[in-house]
Amino acid sequence: MKEIMINPATSDQEVKQWADSVYQTIPSVIFSPPEDRFQYLDKTITALRNGEKVRVVMLGNSIINDTGNSAWEALVEDMYPGADLEVITSVRGGTGCTYYQHENRIDTFVVQYQPDLLIIGGISHLSDTAAIHSVIRQVRERMEPDPEIMVMSGPVGRDDDPRTNPEFTLEPSPDDFRTQLAEMSEDAQVEYFDMKSAWGNYLSQTHASYDYFLRDPVHANVRGRQVLARLLEAYFESDRNNL
């Protein structure tokens, strides 16, 4: 029998120090996000700039749970003095919007938390963009004012290493689910972050094995979660120059 000691972090700075210590064990994440982002995140970016609180609900499956537990909010807070990102991971393992769209589950998994920003992601939507659009519509119908919404493609998985999977192209093909997500997001007027392409681009530039970033064939370990955290950090970073 092994003895395990748990020492909870007592501050956001301590969380960031832990994240930085893990990050030092992996190749640096170099990611240039799209220049046209933030089109649908005006309120979120303004609040960050002004050092205000932003409540974020992350909706999805275990992949989103890992992303939400990556400490990405501590990295973003560090860029925007005074900002307070409260991240709530609202997930049910193995499910996506095909599940959340039914039986008023939106009330339980989203509305009760009253998010300022809703992030929808994961890999369990069964390639059903209509279900994601349905969730977006229901959230807007049930909340006043509407939260801003960002949809992310799902990184991490059995076949998400472009170095070994020839079908994983960094630039999605017209029939790729990433392309469908981008089109749906534009139609719904929500932010879209192609996290899967960013994850694949990172892997293609490192010599570390895929298993180095995973705790099992599907889920990221602490190192993989830091990749996800740094990608989100970079996505929210550029506006800091306008502070």
Side-chain angles (χ1 to χ4, degrees):
M1 180 180 295
K2 295 182 179 179
E3 293 186 1
I4 299 175
M5 294 185 62
I6 298 176
N7 297 309
T10 58
S11 68
D12 290 344
Q13 193 58 35
E14 190 173 341
V15 171
K16 185 177 183 302
Q17 289 172 356
W18 169 84
D20 287 342
S21 69
V22 176
Y23 183 53
Q24 291 172 5
T25 69
I26 66 175
S28 296
V29 175
I30 300 173
F31 170 58
S32 298
E35 294 183 359
D36 62 350
R37 68 197 184 286
F38 303 146
Q39 183 179 358
Y40 300 111
L41 293 182
D42 182 66
K43 290 188 292 185
T44 298
I45 297 303
T46 298
L48 290 174
R49 285 179 173 178
N50 292 338
E52 298 172 354
K53 182 172 182 175
V54 178
R55 177 177 289 178
V56 183
V57 165
M58 302 188 71
L59 181 71
N61 60 358
S62 55
I63 302 300
I64 278 293
N65 193 57
D66 286 339
T67 308
N69 292 326
S70 68
W72 70 272
E73 72 275 14
L75 307 179
V76 174
E77 286 175 348
D78 197 55
M79 296 189 296
Y80 296 95
D84 179 11
L85 275 173
E86 178 188 5
V87 173
I88 300 169
T89 53
S90 185
V91 304
R92 183 177 185 271
T95 57
C97 287
T98 50
Y99 171 82
Y100 296 120
Q101 68 175 331
H102 297 301
E103 299 180 15
N104 296 318
R105 294 184 179 117
I106 292 304
D107 293 339
T108 301
F109 286 90
V110 179
V111 176
Q112 70 161 320
Y113 299 116
Q114 292 295 295
D116 303 300
L117 171 63
L118 170 64
I119 298 178
I120 301 172
I123 60 174
S124 302
H125 302 297
L126 304 181
S127 300
D128 188 346
T129 56
I132 301 173
H133 205 161
S134 173
V135 166
I136 292 169
R137 184 175 61 255
Q138 290 181 56
V139 168
R140 287 171 169 167
E141 289 172 350
R142 286 166 163 78
M143 291 189 62
E144 179 63 39
D146 297 343
E148 293 186 319
I149 298 174
M150 180 164 76
V151 172
M152 298 193 306
S153 58
V156 194
R158 297 180 186 277
D159 302 313
D160 288 335
D161 186 347
R163 299 167 300 180
T164 58
N165 180 9
E167 295 183 2
F168 184 179
T169 57
L170 297 182
E171 185 68 28
S173 64
D175 59 348
D176 193 294
F177 186 52
R178 287 172 287 171
T179 301
Q180 297 171 36
L181 279 177
E183 293 172 348
M184 184 279 303
S185 297
E186 184 59 34
D187 183 52
Q189 295 191 312
V190 299
E191 191 82 1
Y192 175 63
F193 178 15
D194 186 0
M195 178 75 92
K196 180 171 182 174
S197 293
W199 166 268
N201 185 63
Y202 171 76
L203 289 176
S204 69
Q205 298 178 50
T206 179
H207 296 296
S209 70
Y210 195 38
D211 290 343
Y212 186 68
F213 301 101
L214 303 180
R215 69 176 187 270
D216 61 37
V218 175
H219 300 98
N221 58 22
V222 290
R223 292 182 291 269
R225 290 199 292 273
Q226 277 310 296
V227 177
L228 303 178
R230 304 294 158 158
L231 292 174
L232 277 169
E233 177 193 26
Y235 194 91
F236 283 95
E237 182 178 12
S238 68
D239 261 34
R240 68 185 300 188
N241 295 324
N242 295 322
L243 289 169

Short mmCIF file of all heavy atoms in Angstrom, two decimals, residues 203-235:
data_model
loop_
_atom_site.label_atom_id
_atom_site.label_comp_id
_atom_site.label_asym_id
_atom_site.label_seq_id
_atom_site.Cartn_x
_atom_site.Cartn_y
_atom_site.Cartn_z
N LEU A 203 2.50 18.65 -31.79
CA LEU A 203 3.09 17.32 -31.83
C LEU A 203 4.02 17.15 -33.03
O LEU A 203 5.07 16.51 -32.93
CB LEU A 203 2.00 16.26 -31.89
CG LEU A 203 1.17 16.05 -30.62
CD1 LEU A 203 0.07 15.04 -30.87
CD2 LEU A 203 2.04 15.61 -29.45
N SER A 204 3.64 17.74 -34.15
CA SER A 204 4.45 17.58 -35.36
C SER A 204 5.82 18.26 -35.23
O SER A 204 6.73 17.96 -36.01
CB SER A 204 3.71 18.16 -36.57
OG SER A 204 3.61 19.57 -36.49
N GLN A 205 5.96 19.14 -34.25
CA GLN A 205 7.22 19.87 -34.07
C GLN A 205 8.06 19.34 -32.91
O GLN A 205 9.10 19.91 -32.59
CB GLN A 205 6.92 21.35 -33.83
CG GLN A 205 6.21 22.03 -34.99
CD GLN A 205 5.89 23.47 -34.71
OE1 GLN A 205 6.76 24.25 -34.28
NE2 GLN A 205 4.65 23.87 -34.92
N THR A 206 7.61 18.25 -32.28
CA THR A 206 8.36 17.71 -31.15
C THR A 206 8.76 16.27 -31.44
O THR A 206 8.09 15.56 -32.19
CB THR A 206 7.53 17.77 -29.86
OG1 THR A 206 8.29 17.19 -28.80
CG2 THR A 206 6.23 16.99 -30.00
N HIS A 207 9.85 15.86 -30.81
CA HIS A 207 10.32 14.47 -30.96
C HIS A 207 9.81 13.59 -29.82
O HIS A 207 10.07 12.39 -29.82
CB HIS A 207 11.85 14.43 -31.02
CG HIS A 207 12.42 15.13 -32.21
ND1 HIS A 207 12.20 14.71 -33.50
CD2 HIS A 207 13.19 16.23 -32.30
CE1 HIS A 207 12.82 15.52 -34.35
NE2 HIS A 207 13.44 16.45 -33.64
N ALA A 208 9.14 14.17 -28.84
CA ALA A 208 8.62 13.38 -27.73
C ALA A 208 7.54 12.43 -28.24
O ALA A 208 6.76 12.78 -29.13
CB ALA A 208 8.06 14.29 -26.65
N SER A 209 7.48 11.24 -27.68
CA SER A 209 6.48 10.27 -28.11
C SER A 209 5.08 10.74 -27.72
O SER A 209 4.90 11.53 -26.78
CB SER A 209 6.75 8.91 -27.48
OG SER A 209 6.49 8.96 -26.08
N TYR A 210 4.09 10.24 -28.42
CA TYR A 210 2.70 10.59 -28.11
C TYR A 210 2.35 10.16 -26.68
O TYR A 210 1.68 10.88 -25.93
CB TYR A 210 1.77 9.94 -29.12
CG TYR A 210 0.36 10.49 -29.14
CD1 TYR A 210 0.10 11.85 -28.96
CD2 TYR A 210 -0.73 9.65 -29.35
CE1 TYR A 210 -1.18 12.35 -28.99
CE2 TYR A 210 -2.02 10.14 -29.38
CZ TYR A 210 -2.25 11.48 -29.20
OH TYR A 210 -3.52 11.98 -29.22
N ASP A 211 2.83 8.98 -26.29
CA ASP A 211 2.54 8.47 -24.96
C ASP A 211 3.09 9.37 -23.86
O ASP A 211 2.60 9.32 -22.72
CB ASP A 211 3.10 7.06 -24.78
CG ASP A 211 2.36 6.02 -25.61
OD1 ASP A 211 1.24 6.33 -26.06
OD2 ASP A 211 2.91 4.93 -25.82
N TYR A 212 4.08 10.16 -24.17
CA TYR A 212 4.66 11.06 -23.17
C TYR A 212 3.64 12.08 -22.67
O TYR A 212 3.75 12.59 -21.56
CB TYR A 212 5.86 11.79 -23.79
CG TYR A 212 6.65 12.64 -22.82
CD1 TYR A 212 7.38 12.06 -21.79
CD2 TYR A 212 6.67 14.03 -22.94
CE1 TYR A 212 8.12 12.83 -20.91
CE2 TYR A 212 7.40 14.82 -22.06
CZ TYR A 212 8.12 14.21 -21.05
OH TYR A 212 8.84 14.99 -20.17
N PHE A 213 2.61 12.33 -23.48
CA PHE A 213 1.61 13.34 -23.14
C PHE A 213 0.28 12.72 -22.68
O PHE A 213 -0.68 13.44 -22.43
CB PHE A 213 1.34 14.24 -24.34
CG PHE A 213 2.57 14.96 -24.83
CD1 PHE A 213 3.26 14.50 -25.95
CD2 PHE A 213 3.03 16.08 -24.17
CE1 PHE A 213 4.39 15.17 -26.40
CE2 PHE A 213 4.17 16.75 -24.61
CZ PHE A 213 4.85 16.29 -25.72
N LEU A 214 0.22 11.38 -22.60
CA LEU A 214 -1.05 10.71 -22.31
C LEU A 214 -0.96 9.85 -21.06
O LEU A 214 0.10 9.30 -20.74
CB LEU A 214 -1.46 9.82 -23.48
CG LEU A 214 -1.62 10.47 -24.85
CD1 LEU A 214 -2.03 9.42 -25.87
CD2 LEU A 214 -2.61 11.60 -24.82
N ARG A 215 -2.09 9.72 -20.34
CA ARG A 215 -2.17 8.79 -19.22
C ARG A 215 -2.83 7.49 -19.62
O ARG A 215 -2.79 6.50 -18.86
CB ARG A 215 -2.91 9.43 -18.05
CG ARG A 215 -4.39 9.67 -18.25
CD ARG A 215 -5.03 10.23 -16.97
NE ARG A 215 -6.48 10.33 -17.07
CZ ARG A 215 -7.15 11.38 -17.51
NH1 ARG A 215 -6.47 12.44 -17.92
NH2 ARG A 215 -8.45 11.40 -17.54
N ASP A 216 -3.48 7.47 -20.79
CA ASP A 216 -4.07 6.28 -21.39
C ASP A 216 -4.22 6.60 -22.87
O ASP A 216 -3.83 7.68 -23.30
CB ASP A 216 -5.40 5.91 -20.72
CG ASP A 216 -6.47 6.98 -20.83
OD1 ASP A 216 -6.56 7.64 -21.89
OD2 ASP A 216 -7.25 7.16 -19.87
N PRO A 217 -4.76 5.70 -23.69
CA PRO A 217 -4.79 5.98 -25.13
C PRO A 217 -5.61 7.19 -25.55
O PRO A 217 -5.48 7.65 -26.69
CB PRO A 217 -5.41 4.69 -25.70
CG PRO A 217 -5.05 3.62 -24.73
CD PRO A 217 -5.15 4.30 -23.40
N VAL A 218 -6.44 7.72 -24.67
CA VAL A 218 -7.34 8.80 -25.05
C VAL A 218 -7.09 10.10 -24.30
O VAL A 218 -7.27 11.20 -24.85
CB VAL A 218 -8.82 8.37 -24.85
CG1 VAL A 218 -9.77 9.52 -25.13
CG2 VAL A 218 -9.15 7.18 -25.73
N HIS A 219 -6.65 10.03 -23.05
CA HIS A 219 -6.64 11.21 -22.19
C HIS A 219 -5.24 11.75 -21.92
O HIS A 219 -4.29 10.99 -21.74
CB HIS A 219 -7.31 10.88 -20.85
CG HIS A 219 -8.73 10.45 -20.99
ND1 HIS A 219 -9.10 9.13 -21.01
CD2 HIS A 219 -9.87 11.19 -21.14
CE1 HIS A 219 -10.42 9.05 -21.15
NE2 HIS A 219 -10.90 10.28 -21.24
N ALA A 220 -5.15 13.07 -21.82
CA ALA A 220 -3.89 13.73 -21.53
C ALA A 220 -3.48 13.54 -20.07
O ALA A 220 -4.32 13.54 -19.17
CB ALA A 220 -4.01 15.22 -21.84
N ASN A 221 -2.18 13.38 -19.85
CA ASN A 221 -1.65 13.38 -18.49
C ASN A 221 -1.30 14.82 -18.10
O ASN A 221 -1.70 15.77 -18.79
CB ASN A 221 -0.44 12.44 -18.37
CG ASN A 221 0.68 12.81 -19.33
OD1 ASN A 221 0.79 13.96 -19.80
ND2 ASN A 221 1.54 11.85 -19.64
N VAL A 222 -0.56 15.02 -17.02
CA VAL A 222 -0.27 16.39 -16.59
C VAL A 222 0.53 17.14 -17.64
O VAL A 222 0.36 18.36 -17.81
CB VAL A 222 0.47 16.42 -15.23
CG1 VAL A 222 -0.45 15.98 -14.11
CG2 VAL A 222 1.73 15.56 -15.26
N ARG A 223 1.40 16.43 -18.38
CA ARG A 223 2.17 17.10 -19.43
C ARG A 223 1.27 17.48 -20.60
O ARG A 223 1.35 18.60 -21.12
CB ARG A 223 3.33 16.20 -19.88
CG ARG A 223 4.40 16.00 -18.82
CD ARG A 223 5.54 15.15 -19.34
NE ARG A 223 5.13 13.75 -19.54
CZ ARG A 223 5.23 12.81 -18.62
NH1 ARG A 223 5.69 13.09 -17.42
NH2 ARG A 223 4.86 11.56 -18.90
N GLY A 224 0.42 16.56 -21.01
CA GLY A 224 -0.51 16.86 -22.09
C GLY A 224 -1.46 17.98 -21.74
O GLY A 224 -1.80 18.83 -22.57
N ARG A 225 -1.88 18.01 -20.47
CA ARG A 225 -2.79 19.09 -20.04
C ARG A 225 -2.09 20.43 -20.08
O ARG A 225 -2.72 21.46 -20.33
CB ARG A 225 -3.34 18.79 -18.64
CG ARG A 225 -4.32 17.63 -18.63
CD ARG A 225 -5.19 17.62 -17.39
NE ARG A 225 -4.46 17.34 -16.18
CZ ARG A 225 -4.20 16.11 -15.71
NH1 ARG A 225 -4.61 15.05 -16.39
NH2 ARG A 225 -3.56 15.94 -14.58
N GLN A 226 -0.78 20.45 -19.85
CA GLN A 226 -0.07 21.72 -19.96
C GLN A 226 0.04 22.19 -21.41
O GLN A 226 0.07 23.40 -21.67
CB GLN A 226 1.31 21.63 -19.31
CG GLN A 226 1.29 21.84 -17.82
CD GLN A 226 0.51 23.10 -17.44
OE1 GLN A 226 0.89 24.21 -17.78
NE2 GLN A 226 -0.59 22.92 -16.74
N VAL A 227 0.09 21.25 -22.35
CA VAL A 227 0.02 21.66 -23.75
C VAL A 227 -1.31 22.36 -24.01
O VAL A 227 -1.37 23.44 -24.60
CB VAL A 227 0.17 20.45 -24.70
CG1 VAL A 227 0.01 20.90 -26.16
CG2 VAL A 227 1.52 19.78 -24.50
N LEU A 228 -2.40 21.75 -23.54
CA LEU A 228 -3.72 22.35 -23.73
C LEU A 228 -3.81 23.71 -23.05
O LEU A 228 -4.36 24.67 -23.61
CB LEU A 228 -4.80 21.41 -23.17
CG LEU A 228 -4.83 19.99 -23.75
CD1 LEU A 228 -5.91 19.16 -23.07
CD2 LEU A 228 -5.06 20.03 -25.26
N ALA A 229 -3.26 23.81 -21.84
CA ALA A 229 -3.29 25.08 -21.11
C ALA A 229 -2.55 26.17 -21.86
O ALA A 229 -3.01 27.31 -21.96
CB ALA A 229 -2.69 24.88 -19.72
N ARG A 230 -1.38 25.82 -22.40
CA ARG A 230 -0.57 26.84 -23.08
C ARG A 230 -1.20 27.25 -24.41
O ARG A 230 -1.04 28.39 -24.85
CB ARG A 230 0.86 26.31 -23.31
CG ARG A 230 1.54 25.85 -22.04
CD ARG A 230 1.82 26.97 -21.07
NE ARG A 230 1.98 26.46 -19.70
CZ ARG A 230 2.62 27.11 -18.72
NH1 ARG A 230 3.15 28.30 -18.94
NH2 ARG A 230 2.69 26.59 -17.52
N LEU A 231 -1.92 26.33 -25.05
CA LEU A 231 -2.63 26.70 -26.27
C LEU A 231 -3.74 27.71 -25.96
O LEU A 231 -3.92 28.70 -26.68
CB LEU A 231 -3.20 25.46 -26.95
CG LEU A 231 -2.18 24.48 -27.53
CD1 LEU A 231 -2.87 23.22 -28.05
CD2 LEU A 231 -1.36 25.13 -28.64
N LEU A 232 -4.47 27.47 -24.88
CA LEU A 232 -5.51 28.43 -24.48
C LEU A 232 -4.89 29.75 -24.04
O LEU A 232 -5.42 30.83 -24.33
CB LEU A 232 -6.35 27.83 -23.36
CG LEU A 232 -7.48 26.90 -23.80
CD1 LEU A 232 -8.07 26.16 -22.61
CD2 LEU A 232 -8.57 27.66 -24.54
N GLU A 233 -3.79 29.67 -23.33
CA GLU A 233 -3.09 30.90 -22.93
C GLU A 233 -2.74 31.74 -24.16
O GLU A 233 -2.98 32.95 -24.19
CB GLU A 233 -1.82 30.55 -22.15
CG GLU A 233 -1.00 31.77 -21.75
CD GLU A 233 0.38 31.39 -21.26
OE1 GLU A 233 0.90 30.31 -21.64
OE2 GLU A 233 0.97 32.18 -20.49
N ALA A 234 -2.16 31.09 -25.17
CA ALA A 234 -1.78 31.81 -26.38
C ALA A 234 -2.99 32.37 -27.10
O ALA A 234 -2.94 33.46 -27.67
CB ALA A 234 -0.99 30.88 -27.30
N TYR A 235 -4.08 31.62 -27.07
CA TYR A 235 -5.29 32.09 -27.77
C TYR A 235 -5.79 33.39 -27.17
O TYR A 235 -6.25 34.29 -27.89
CB TYR A 235 -6.39 31.02 -27.69
CG TYR A 235 -7.52 31.28 -28.64
CD1 TYR A 235 -7.50 30.75 -29.92
CD2 TYR A 235 -8.61 32.07 -28.28
CE1 TYR A 235 -8.53 30.99 -30.82
CE2 TYR A 235 -9.65 32.32 -29.17
CZ TYR A 235 -9.60 31.78 -30.43
OH TYR A 235 -10.62 32.03 -31.32
#
